[in-house]
Amino acid sequence: MKKKLTAISIGLTLALTLSAGSAFADSKLNNAIKPVIGVSYKMGGTTTKGFDCSGFTSYVFKKIGLTLPRTSTSQYKVGTAVAKSKLKAGDLVFFNTSGRGVSHVGIYIGGGKFAHSSTSRGVTITALNSSYFAKRYVGAKRVMSSSKYKAVAVNYN
């Protein structure tokens, strides 16, 4: 029953986060993320059988035609730094959860939220300003060109 309630609450969170009024809703990026919400965490995981954080980001970006390095540390080394106030859906957001530098990554989806693979909840949506992640935020990188962003992260319908 607890697992079913978790799935329902994740679905409600996703529905509220990815509402039809959002430019991100029904985008290719959203369509790559939405089906894997709720997939369990698996260290080293890169498939729908289980993801670690960078396995999740690599999987989603591969679905939209971009290749990312495998680990959060190496993903942090690519792209262009973006100020938190300038984040756009599709930017990678990075955190220091281990006390030893970049150790967690997610995908900003807009509205102050990001999708990521959490060790405790699997693939989920979390607020950037949540008490846990706000104090561990390291920075963000934009890895998509403007034309790629328009093609995959914005819905013009």
Side-chain angles (χ1 to χ4, degrees), residues 3 6 10 36-57 70-72 97-98 102-106 114-124 126 132-133:
K3 195 170 200 165
T6 301
I10 288 171
V36 295
I37 295 292
V39 170
S40 62
Y41 179 87
K42 180 179 179 186
M43 183 174 279
T46 59
T47 71
T48 55
K49 292 181 180 177
F51 293 110
D52 66 11
C53 65
S54 56
F56 165 70
T57 55
R70 175 58 187 95
T71 67
S72 58
T97 57
S98 68
V102 171
S103 54
H104 189 66
V105 61
F114 70 105
H116 63 116
S117 185
S118 157
T119 55
S120 61
R121 294 180 298 172
V123 178
T124 190
T126 303
Y132 181 82
F133 285 104

Side-chain angles (χ1 to χ4, degrees), residues 4 6-7 15 22-23 26 31 42 47-48 53 57 65 67 87 89 112 119 124 127 135 139 143 147-149:
K4 191 171 188 172
T6 301
S22 165
D26 297 322
N31 292 337
K42 180 179 179 186
T47 71
T48 55
C53 65
T57 55
T67 302
L87 287 171
T119 55
T124 190
K135 57 187 166 192
V143 295
S147 59
K148 184 68 172 177
Y149 174 78

